[in-house]
Amino acid sequence: MILEKRLANAKMLPLVAYHRGKPIAYKLGYALNEDTFYSWLGAVIPAYRGRGIARALLLRQEAWCEAERFSAIEVKTMNQFKTMLQMLISHDYHIVSVKENADPRLVKIRCRKLLG
């Protein structure tokens, strides 16, 4: 239900990575408006992490967003997902806001990358 509500009438990009016909990773995003794309959900099965799959999906998403003429991509993550945060920073995403939490692992971090 949440997926349907968020994605209803939205320009979206679902990406799935497969190994031997089995889905092992995904990345799902949608247009917030005509200028900004929101990279909403993504994951890699633990056994397949550290192989560059998330990076490949990120790069494919960025290429698609540029082709669709978005000027920015936004994504949210948390301190507990350190490898995700490191990947974003290493690909020129900038931290634009932080939402505090008593548990430091649950601090929410919003990042943005300008395209073009």
Side-chain angles (χ1 to χ4, degrees), residues 22 25 34 38-39 74 80 92 105 113-114:
K22 174 185 163 187
E34 62 185 43
Y38 180 56
S39 183
E74 289 193 3
Q80 67 182 338
D92 296 323
R105 296 169 299 165
K113 179 176 183 170
L114 298 178

Side-chain angles (χ1 to χ4, degrees), residues 9-43:
N9 303 316
K11 184 180 232 177
M12 66 171 181
L13 177 64
L15 297 171
V16 181
Y18 294 89
H19 181 253
R20 296 185 180 161
K22 174 185 163 187
I24 58 167
Y26 72 93
K27 193 160 194 59
L28 175 64
Y30 60 91
L32 285 176
N33 54 52
E34 62 185 43
D35 296 319
T36 305
F37 188 83
Y38 180 56
S39 183
W40 182 30
L41 299 171

Side-chain angles (χ1 to χ4, degrees), residues 96-112:
V96 294
S97 69
V98 174
K99 186 174 180 185
E100 297 295 327
N101 191 294
D103 182 341
R105 296 169 299 165
L106 301 179
V107 169
K108 293 182 182 177
I109 303 163
R110 186 168 60 99
C111 299
R112 182 176 176 91

